[in-house]
Amino acid sequence: MHNDIAEILVSESQIQEICQTLGARLSKDYAGKQPLFVGLLKGCMPFMSDLSKHVDLKIELAYMSVSSYHGGISSSGDVKIKMDLDISIKGRDVVIVEDIVDTASTIVTIIELFKHRGASSVKTVTLLDKPEGRKRPYQPEYVGYVIPKAFVVGYGLDYNEYYRNLPYVGILKPEIYNS
Ligand code: IMP
C-alpha cells in the first residue's frame, strides 16, 4: 500500500498537531454551547475520532453519508445523501466535519440543507482544503492544512475505497489511477 504513494503531504505527527490546534480553537469558540458535530462519512472517520478527543466541551456526534464521487478521482458535482441524520438539527449549532473541501459542491449543498432544516448556525471544520479545485465560492471556517491540486489518499481519504487506513495523507501515484 505504501508503495503506491508518491509523496507524503501531511505526516501522522502533523495530523495530531492539527487535531490539537483545531480542537482548542473549537473549544474556545463554542465555549458555553453544546454543538452538534456532524461527520460526513466515510472520509471523516479518523479525523472526527481524533479531533473530538481534543474538544473540551459537551458535544454530540452524528453522521451522514454523502457521495459526490462515483468512483474515480473527480467529483461529479451531483451530491447524493446515502444515509441521513437520525436526529433533528433545528436550533442546533452544527459543526460539519469533513476530510477535504475540493470543489465545495458537497459542503455547500449540505450547509443549504442544514439551514433549511433550521440549524441555528452551521460551520465547517476540514482536515484538508484544496482551494484550487473550487467550483463554488466557499471558505471553510476551520482548516487543518491547505494542499495543492493533487489527488490525495489516506487518513480517511480513498481511491475506489482503498487507502483510507493509511495513517498519513499522501499523493497517490498517477499510474495507480491511469492504469
Ligand atoms: P467536493 O464536493 O469536491 O468539495 O469534494 C468533497 C469530497 O470529495 C470529499 O469529502 C472527498 O470524499 C472527495 N475528495 C475530494 N478531493 C479528494 C482527493 O484528493 N482524494 C480523495 N477524495 C477526495
Side-chain angles (χ1 to χ4, degrees), residues 34-38 48 57-62 86-88 92-93 95:
Q34 296 187 354
L36 172 68
F37 279 45
V38 175
M48 179 97 150
L57 296 172
K58 278 174 75 176
I59 58 172
E60 229 180 303
L61 304 181
D86 56 1
I87 49 165
S88 166
R92 300 296 306 266
D93 291 304
V95 178

Side-chain angles (χ1 to χ4, degrees), residues 89-94 114-122:
I89 57 169
K90 200 168 167 48
R92 300 296 306 266
D93 291 304
V94 177
F114 285 2
K115 288 192 173 152
H116 178 74
R117 288 181 179 177
S120 280
S121 68
V122 186

Side-chain angles (χ1 to χ4, degrees), residues 151-164:
F151 188 75
V152 295
V153 292
Y155 198 69
L157 291 139
D158 74 307
Y159 170 61
N160 285 350
E161 295 301 330
Y162 292 109
Y163 307 103
R164 292 191 198 275

Side-chain angles (χ1 to χ4, degrees), residues 35 66 71 108 114 125 161 169:
V66 295
V108 169
F114 285 2
V125 55
E161 295 301 330
V169 174

Side-chain angles (χ1 to χ4, degrees), residues 63-66 81-87 113-114 117:
Y63 297 90
M64 245 177 124
S65 179
V66 295
I81 296 177
K82 300 203 285 188
M83 184 190 82
D84 207 341
L85 289 171
D86 56 1
I87 49 165
L113 175 71
F114 285 2
R117 288 181 179 177

Side-chain angles (χ1 to χ4, degrees), residues 8-168:
I8 295 180
L9 274 187
V10 199
S11 69
E12 276 187 81
S13 60
Q14 280 176 298
I15 290 173
Q16 290 317 311
E17 273 175 38
I18 288 168
C19 289
Q20 274 179 22
T21 307
L22 290 177
R25 275 183 62 198
L26 287 159
S27 306
K28 188 163 162 270
D29 293 356
Y30 285 87
K33 296 183 174 165
Q34 296 187 354
L36 172 68
F37 279 45
V38 175
L40 302 186
L41 293 169
K42 302 173 191 169
C44 74
M45 205 196 45
F47 181 48
M48 179 97 150
S49 164
D50 287 342
L51 173 72
S52 61
K53 287 179 232 167
H54 294 285
V55 180
D56 187 12
L57 296 172
K58 278 174 75 176
I59 58 172
E60 229 180 303
L61 304 181
Y63 297 90
M64 245 177 124
S65 179
V66 295
S67 159
S68 61
Y69 276 33
H70 308 298
I73 61 154
S74 61
S75 169
S76 65
D78 167 30
V79 180
K80 285 199 167 53
I81 296 177
K82 300 203 285 188
M83 184 190 82
D84 207 341
L85 289 171
D86 56 1
I87 49 165
S88 166
I89 57 169
K90 200 168 167 48
R92 300 296 306 266
D93 291 304
V94 177
V95 178
I96 303 174
V97 183
E98 255 287 38
D99 51 359
I100 186 166
V101 177
D102 179 16
T103 64
S105 304
T106 308
I107 200 72
V108 169
T109 305
I110 299 299
I111 289 169
E112 282 167 6
L113 175 71
F114 285 2
K115 288 192 173 152
H116 178 74
R117 288 181 179 177
S120 280
S121 68
V122 186
K123 291 190 177 173
T124 303
V125 55
T126 184
L127 173 70
L128 305 173
D129 188 10
K130 210 195 292 187
E132 288 169 58
R134 286 293 191 283
K135 290 195 179 143
R136 303 184 68 167
Y138 177 69
Q139 172 60 50
E141 288 82 4
Y142 301 91
V143 174
Y145 200 88
V146 177
I147 63 162
K149 198 170 193 291
F151 188 75
V152 295
V153 292
Y155 198 69
L157 291 139
D158 74 307
Y159 170 61
N160 285 350
E161 295 301 330
Y162 292 109
Y163 307 103
R164 292 191 198 275
N165 55 320
L166 278 173
Y168 51 79

